[in-house]
Structures are given as C-alpha cells and as structure tokens.
Amino acid sequence: MTPRDLGTARGVVVKVGSSLIQAGEPVMGAIADDIIALREGGARVTLVSSGAVALGRDRLGLPAGTLSLEQKQAAAATGQPRLLDLWESAFAPHGVATAQALLTLDVTESRRSWLNARATLSTLMDLGALPIVNENDTIATDEIRYGDNDRLAARVAQLTGAELLVLLSDVDALYDADPRRHPDAQAQHDVPVINAHIQAMAGRANAERGVGTGGMRTKIMAAELAGASGCSTAIAIGTARHPILSLSRANHGSWFHPANSSTSARERWISGVVSPNGALRIDAGAVGALQDGKSLLPVGVTAVDGQFERGDTIRILGPQGELVARGVTAYGADEARQLAGCRSDEAEDRLGYRRAAALVHTDDIVRVSSQEDGR
Ligand code: GLU
C-alpha cells in the first residue's frame, strides 16, 4: 500500500497511543473523523486504543513514575471504562456504536481463540459498530503480556486481515538521527525494507522518543510483524488536523512496506502447516465451487477423514482422493461428520445450534495445483 492508496484501503487497523488520549477530546475527535472518512471510503476499521492505564492513574491519584504491575492493573481496570466512554462520545456525532474487545496474548497465540476473536470483530463490523481493542491489562501478567499496544495492534491487523496498520502517537516519523539534537535529521518517509540499518535507527536515535510504552522500537517491531502478513504500516503524529488522511501526502509520516503480499502470506501460513490433521472429501460440484473462489459448504462434503478440531488445518480432497486445497476448518471432525452432505438450512437441525454456514470459509482456503499428490 502506498500513500496514494489510502482512500481505497479495505481493512485498516488504527492504533492510538496513550499520549493522544491524554491530549484530550479535540484530538480524539479528529481521529474519529478520519476513521469515519476511511469507513465511508469502504474500509473496515478496527481501533486499538491505549490510555486505560494513563486515565486510571489520574483517576486513582497514583503517583507519577513507574507503577508496579498490580498498580498498572488497577489503573487499567479504572481507566478502561472511561476510555471507552471517551471514544463513544467521539463517535456519537457520527452515529457509530463503539464496542470493546479486550485481548490477551494467549488469545492471539491459540488458533481457536484467534478464530473466535476474528469472528466477533468481523460480526461487529458487519453490524456497523467500531471495535475498540485493548490488552486485557487487568488479567494479563508479565508472562502473558504484549506490554505495548503497537505489537498488539500488529496482531490485530493480522487477525482482521488488514492491509494497513496506522500507528498514531506523539512521534511523527522515523528519523535517521534524533531531531531534538540534530536539526538536520532526516525523516524516513518511505521504508521499503526493515533491515539492520533501519533497526539501528529505531534503537539509537528514536528509542526514547515519545511518551508511550513502546517508543520507536516497538513500532518497528509492529511494522515487521504486520509486514510478515502482507500488511503495510504507517507511523504518523496523532495531533495533526487530519492525523490519518494526511498520510496520503507522500512526505508525511513513515510508511513501511510488507515483505509479502497479503495472499501469499496467508497462503504460506495455511500451507505451512506440516501435517494437516484430517481431510474433507468433496464431490465434483464442490471442487468446481472451490475453483470459482467459493467457500466449502457442508452439502458438497461426502466424507470426513481423521480427527481434527475447529481451527485446525485440514486437507480437502476431490472425488478421486486428489488434493484440491488446504484450509482452516470452522468445525471439528465430529461436527463435520454430522454436517456432511446436508443443506445449509438443515445444518442447525442436525447440530442443534448454528454457527458459520461454511465448513471452510473461502478466506481460509488455499487452492493447490492439480499436480500435487493428495496424500
Ligand atoms: N494497554 C495499555 C493501556 O491501555 C497501553 C499499553 C501501551 O502504551 O502500549 O494503558
């Protein structure tokens, strides 16, 4: 993605740093306005907002300086409802409902929770709401913490399949030297690859810039993480008049380009699973549907091999046992056996509950060439 493509982005994650929440309502209002503009341009937007600890700290009258983990957790518990309240007010003039999603590291590390979180965020967006994600600081311990919302936001970008991650903070760009000490320091507006040279800039000149937890180092780590899944990252100052839309100007902020295209990264993730646990055998009609880019519906499934659970990667085999695709299944093997061959409108009766219509959603399918061996 390039600055020019900003208006056509389909999936965007916007991360807002604590300093911007502390900067007050006009700043949050300007961010909300730009998020609305992105949505009006057709983007599905997820907001990742810091600020719970900062707001809670003020409310509880905790001292300035480093807080203990317990104090941070107490501050987050106090500040989080206030944070959502502020965002709800910022989006109220636009008539957009806000929704809270608190994630912990284990959610994004386990595929099952990952799929659940993804389904919830997606449903919220289908319903027109704006999901607002933060780390669940109150229960996260040091071992299971992201600790900074830059990396959490990168995981959310992967989770939602976003093409663009925007990191808004009090830092306007990546510089090759500390601009406070070197007036001739150059902003790096376009970063095609994150190499050792760029890492060094983040560690040296920019490490301490900004009041947030992460500084530049975690922003670069976030850009790397997002980039591995085909998502571009842009860093920009959150106090600008149009903090997000001004990124469409070439000499604003810093853009980091992904190492992989979105599809190939996703495909690599699915194809990369070494031993898919089981298989769904499908009829010729379903093979055709898959080749047309459709999801795999229960009606096309003729048999279910092996044991697997929801969220596992399975093989999809054609009538002759040939490998047609690999995919992440939305149902476990026992459920798939119950569903095999049934029409979508019968699925609820068979299972006794209702979930996804597709056994394997098209976004979770990697079609393979017919020459590949089916075993
Ligand atoms: N989750 C923390 C909060 O809401 C923010 C962590 C960070 O600053 O990146 O205060």
Side-chain angles (χ1 to χ4, degrees), residues 299-316:
V299 71
V301 175
T302 54
V304 178
D305 296 347
Q307 264 313 321
F308 51 85
E309 292 187 57
R310 176 180 189 211
D312 283 348
T313 300
I314 45 100
R315 286 170 298 140
I316 301 174

PDB file of all heavy atoms in Angstrom, residues 299-316:
ATOM      1  N   VAL A 299     -22.926 -29.232   2.094  1.00  0.00           N
ATOM      2  CA  VAL A 299     -23.618 -30.043   1.094  1.00  0.00           C
ATOM      3  C   VAL A 299     -22.654 -30.755   0.134  1.00  0.00           C
ATOM      4  O   VAL A 299     -22.938 -31.846  -0.349  1.00  0.00           O
ATOM      5  CB  VAL A 299     -24.671 -29.176   0.333  1.00  0.00           C
ATOM      6  CG1 VAL A 299     -24.003 -28.170  -0.591  1.00  0.00           C
ATOM      7  CG2 VAL A 299     -25.663 -30.029  -0.416  1.00  0.00           C
ATOM      8  N   GLY A 300     -21.476 -30.159  -0.074  1.00  0.00           N
ATOM      9  CA  GLY A 300     -20.524 -30.758  -1.021  1.00  0.00           C
ATOM     10  C   GLY A 300     -19.607 -31.790  -0.389  1.00  0.00           C
ATOM     11  O   GLY A 300     -18.762 -32.381  -1.066  1.00  0.00           O
ATOM     12  N   VAL A 301     -19.735 -32.019   0.917  1.00  0.00           N
ATOM     13  CA  VAL A 301     -18.802 -32.919   1.604  1.00  0.00           C
ATOM     14  C   VAL A 301     -19.362 -34.339   1.605  1.00  0.00           C
ATOM     15  O   VAL A 301     -20.501 -34.581   2.006  1.00  0.00           O
ATOM     16  CB  VAL A 301     -18.560 -32.429   3.057  1.00  0.00           C
ATOM     17  CG1 VAL A 301     -17.686 -33.413   3.828  1.00  0.00           C
ATOM     18  CG2 VAL A 301     -17.909 -31.052   3.031  1.00  0.00           C
ATOM     19  N   THR A 302     -18.557 -35.293   1.120  1.00  0.00           N
ATOM     20  CA  THR A 302     -19.031 -36.681   1.039  1.00  0.00           C
ATOM     21  C   THR A 302     -18.492 -37.530   2.187  1.00  0.00           C
ATOM     22  O   THR A 302     -19.117 -38.511   2.568  1.00  0.00           O
ATOM     23  CB  THR A 302     -18.614 -37.317  -0.305  1.00  0.00           C
ATOM     24  OG1 THR A 302     -17.189 -37.152  -0.449  1.00  0.00           O
ATOM     25  CG2 THR A 302     -19.310 -36.638  -1.479  1.00  0.00           C
ATOM     26  N   ALA A 303     -17.341 -37.187   2.731  1.00  0.00           N
ATOM     27  CA  ALA A 303     -16.788 -37.974   3.845  1.00  0.00           C
ATOM     28  C   ALA A 303     -15.788 -37.135   4.632  1.00  0.00           C
ATOM     29  O   ALA A 303     -15.252 -36.139   4.124  1.00  0.00           O
ATOM     30  CB  ALA A 303     -16.095 -39.221   3.303  1.00  0.00           C
ATOM     31  N   VAL A 304     -15.556 -37.563   5.858  1.00  0.00           N
ATOM     32  CA  VAL A 304     -14.638 -36.838   6.745  1.00  0.00           C
ATOM     33  C   VAL A 304     -13.612 -37.844   7.262  1.00  0.00           C
ATOM     34  O   VAL A 304     -13.979 -38.872   7.826  1.00  0.00           O
ATOM     35  CB  VAL A 304     -15.427 -36.222   7.930  1.00  0.00           C
ATOM     36  CG1 VAL A 304     -14.484 -35.501   8.892  1.00  0.00           C
ATOM     37  CG2 VAL A 304     -16.499 -35.261   7.416  1.00  0.00           C
ATOM     38  N   ASP A 305     -12.335 -37.573   7.015  1.00  0.00           N
ATOM     39  CA  ASP A 305     -11.273 -38.488   7.462  1.00  0.00           C
ATOM     40  C   ASP A 305     -10.570 -37.940   8.700  1.00  0.00           C
ATOM     41  O   ASP A 305     -10.258 -36.740   8.750  1.00  0.00           O
ATOM     42  CB  ASP A 305     -10.170 -38.626   6.377  1.00  0.00           C
ATOM     43  CG  ASP A 305     -10.691 -39.254   5.102  1.00  0.00           C
ATOM     44  OD1 ASP A 305     -11.812 -39.812   5.125  1.00  0.00           O
ATOM     45  OD2 ASP A 305      -9.971 -39.169   4.084  1.00  0.00           O
ATOM     46  N   GLY A 306     -10.248 -38.800   9.630  1.00  0.00           N
ATOM     47  CA  GLY A 306      -9.377 -38.437  10.748  1.00  0.00           C
ATOM     48  C   GLY A 306     -10.066 -37.610  11.816  1.00  0.00           C
ATOM     49  O   GLY A 306     -11.276 -37.386  11.781  1.00  0.00           O
ATOM     50  N   GLN A 307      -9.269 -37.170  12.759  1.00  0.00           N
ATOM     51  CA  GLN A 307      -9.785 -36.354  13.856  1.00  0.00           C
ATOM     52  C   GLN A 307      -9.162 -34.962  13.791  1.00  0.00           C
ATOM     53  O   GLN A 307      -7.961 -34.826  13.587  1.00  0.00           O
ATOM     54  CB  GLN A 307      -9.421 -36.992  15.210  1.00  0.00           C
ATOM     55  CG  GLN A 307     -10.520 -37.863  15.821  1.00  0.00           C
ATOM     56  CD  GLN A 307     -11.906 -37.209  15.806  1.00  0.00           C
ATOM     57  OE1 GLN A 307     -12.039 -36.020  16.034  1.00  0.00           O
ATOM     58  NE2 GLN A 307     -12.953 -37.975  15.514  1.00  0.00           N
ATOM     59  N   PHE A 308      -9.953 -33.950  13.949  1.00  0.00           N
ATOM     60  CA  PHE A 308      -9.429 -32.582  13.985  1.00  0.00           C
ATOM     61  C   PHE A 308     -10.442 -31.738  14.719  1.00  0.00           C
ATOM     62  O   PHE A 308     -11.578 -32.164  14.950  1.00  0.00           O
ATOM     63  CB  PHE A 308      -9.170 -32.049  12.569  1.00  0.00           C
ATOM     64  CG  PHE A 308     -10.325 -32.208  11.625  1.00  0.00           C
ATOM     65  CD1 PHE A 308     -11.343 -31.268  11.568  1.00  0.00           C
ATOM     66  CD2 PHE A 308     -10.393 -33.317  10.776  1.00  0.00           C
ATOM     67  CE1 PHE A 308     -12.403 -31.425  10.691  1.00  0.00           C
ATOM     68  CE2 PHE A 308     -11.464 -33.480   9.914  1.00  0.00           C
ATOM     69  CZ  PHE A 308     -12.473 -32.528   9.860  1.00  0.00           C
ATOM     70  N   GLU A 309      -9.972 -30.568  15.094  1.00  0.00           N
ATOM     71  CA  GLU A 309     -10.864 -29.655  15.791  1.00  0.00           C
ATOM     72  C   GLU A 309     -11.016 -28.376  15.015  1.00  0.00           C
ATOM     73  O   GLU A 309     -10.214 -28.085  14.120  1.00  0.00           O
ATOM     74  CB  GLU A 309     -10.297 -29.360  17.177  1.00  0.00           C
ATOM     75  CG  GLU A 309     -10.353 -30.583  18.065  1.00  0.00           C
ATOM     76  CD  GLU A 309      -9.951 -30.262  19.480  1.00  0.00           C
ATOM     77  OE1 GLU A 309     -10.593 -29.376  20.078  1.00  0.00           O
ATOM     78  OE2 GLU A 309      -8.983 -30.868  19.950  1.00  0.00           O
ATOM     79  N   ARG A 310     -12.017 -27.620  15.394  1.00  0.00           N
ATOM     80  CA  ARG A 310     -12.237 -26.309  14.806  1.00  0.00           C
ATOM     81  C   ARG A 310     -10.933 -25.522  14.869  1.00  0.00           C
ATOM     82  O   ARG A 310     -10.284 -25.481  15.909  1.00  0.00           O
ATOM     83  CB  ARG A 310     -13.310 -25.610  15.643  1.00  0.00           C
ATOM     84  CG  ARG A 310     -13.584 -24.226  15.213  1.00  0.00           C
ATOM     85  CD  ARG A 310     -14.650 -23.600  16.067  1.00  0.00           C
ATOM     86  NE  ARG A 310     -14.989 -22.349  15.432  1.00  0.00           N
ATOM     87  CZ  ARG A 310     -15.397 -21.281  16.050  1.00  0.00           C
ATOM     88  NH1 ARG A 310     -15.578 -21.296  17.347  1.00  0.00           N
ATOM     89  NH2 ARG A 310     -15.673 -20.179  15.390  1.00  0.00           N
ATOM     90  N   GLY A 311     -10.559 -24.921  13.751  1.00  0.00           N
ATOM     91  CA  GLY A 311      -9.341 -24.116  13.751  1.00  0.00           C
ATOM     92  C   GLY A 311      -8.126 -24.884  13.254  1.00  0.00           C
ATOM     93  O   GLY A 311      -7.069 -24.305  13.039  1.00  0.00           O
ATOM     94  N   ASP A 312      -8.260 -26.219  13.079  1.00  0.00           N
ATOM     95  CA  ASP A 312      -7.131 -26.989  12.549  1.00  0.00           C
ATOM     96  C   ASP A 312      -7.063 -26.833  11.031  1.00  0.00           C
ATOM     97  O   ASP A 312      -8.071 -26.584  10.367  1.00  0.00           O
ATOM     98  CB  ASP A 312      -7.294 -28.472  12.878  1.00  0.00           C
ATOM     99  CG  ASP A 312      -6.957 -28.774  14.338  1.00  0.00           C
ATOM    100  OD1 ASP A 312      -6.383 -27.884  14.997  1.00  0.00           O
ATOM    101  OD2 ASP A 312      -7.272 -29.882  14.808  1.00  0.00           O
ATOM    102  N   THR A 313      -5.866 -27.034  10.511  1.00  0.00           N
ATOM    103  CA  THR A 313      -5.719 -27.039   9.060  1.00  0.00           C
ATOM    104  C   THR A 313      -5.967 -28.455   8.552  1.00  0.00           C
ATOM    105  O   THR A 313      -5.390 -29.411   9.063  1.00  0.00           O
ATOM    106  CB  THR A 313      -4.305 -26.579   8.658  1.00  0.00           C
ATOM    107  OG1 THR A 313      -4.136 -25.265   9.167  1.00  0.00           O
ATOM    108  CG2 THR A 313      -4.135 -26.554   7.154  1.00  0.00           C
ATOM    109  N   ILE A 314      -6.837 -28.583   7.579  1.00  0.00           N
ATOM    110  CA  ILE A 314      -7.173 -29.915   7.055  1.00  0.00           C
ATOM    111  C   ILE A 314      -6.951 -29.925   5.537  1.00  0.00           C
ATOM    112  O   ILE A 314      -6.818 -28.864   4.919  1.00  0.00           O
ATOM    113  CB  ILE A 314      -8.642 -30.288   7.380  1.00  0.00           C
ATOM    114  CG1 ILE A 314      -9.586 -29.112   7.091  1.00  0.00           C
ATOM    115  CG2 ILE A 314      -8.809 -30.677   8.835  1.00  0.00           C
ATOM    116  CD1 ILE A 314     -10.294 -29.189   5.836  1.00  0.00           C
ATOM    117  N   ARG A 315      -6.913 -31.129   4.966  1.00  0.00           N
ATOM    118  CA  ARG A 315      -6.820 -31.249   3.519  1.00  0.00           C
ATOM    119  C   ARG A 315      -8.213 -31.371   2.930  1.00  0.00           C
ATOM    120  O   ARG A 315      -9.112 -31.938   3.565  1.00  0.00           O
ATOM    121  CB  ARG A 315      -5.976 -32.471   3.146  1.00  0.00           C
ATOM    122  CG  ARG A 315      -4.478 -32.249   3.401  1.00  0.00           C
ATOM    123  CD  ARG A 315      -3.699 -33.537   3.268  1.00  0.00           C
ATOM    124  NE  ARG A 315      -4.152 -34.486   4.271  1.00  0.00           N
ATOM    125  CZ  ARG A 315      -4.321 -35.785   4.036  1.00  0.00           C
ATOM    126  NH1 ARG A 315      -4.055 -36.295   2.856  1.00  0.00           N
ATOM    127  NH2 ARG A 315      -4.736 -36.587   4.991  1.00  0.00           N
ATOM    128  N   ILE A 316      -8.390 -30.870   1.761  1.00  0.00           N
ATOM    129  CA  ILE A 316      -9.669 -31.003   1.071  1.00  0.00           C
ATOM    130  C   ILE A 316      -9.401 -31.827  -0.182  1.00  0.00           C
ATOM    131  O   ILE A 316      -8.584 -31.440  -1.025  1.00  0.00           O
ATOM    132  CB  ILE A 316     -10.257 -29.621   0.729  1.00  0.00           C
ATOM    133  CG1 ILE A 316     -10.456 -28.811   2.028  1.00  0.00           C
ATOM    134  CG2 ILE A 316     -11.583 -29.777  -0.023  1.00  0.00           C
ATOM    135  CD1 ILE A 316     -10.903 -27.372   1.815  1.00  0.00           C
TER     136      ILE A 316
END
